[in-house]
């Protein structure tokens, strides 16, 4: 399921961002790069665990 979700993002969503031709994989709504902490927050991960 995770592979399919990542593929869907890369094929259908990421190209809509203005910075989609850049090297960054995960982008914010404004097209800038997500920082590791932001990714952890969005996925509900606790880096201290």
């Amino acid at each position: 399921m995770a592979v399919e979700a990542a593929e869907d993002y890369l094929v259908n969503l990421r190209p809509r961002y203005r910075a989609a031709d850049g090297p960054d994989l995960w982008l914010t709504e404004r097209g800038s790069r997500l920082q590791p902490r932001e990714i952890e927050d969005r996925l509900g991960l606790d880096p201290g665990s």
Side-chain angles (χ1 to χ4, degrees):
M1 173 120 181
V3 172
E4 291 87 1
E7 181 179 13
D8 182 55
Y9 167 76
L10 292 172
V11 171
N12 297 310
L13 297 175
R14 191 172 180 281
R16 297 180 182 186
Y17 292 103
R18 64 174 175 226
D21 58 345
D24 300 317
L25 179 61
W26 303 109
L27 303 171
T28 67
E29 293 84 1
R30 294 184 176 182
S32 62
R33 182 180 144 221
L34 276 172
Q35 299 299 316
R37 182 65 193 161
E38 294 171 301
I39 295 169
E40 292 165 354
D41 287 345
R42 290 178 187 219
L43 295 177
L45 303 175
D46 182 8
S49 323

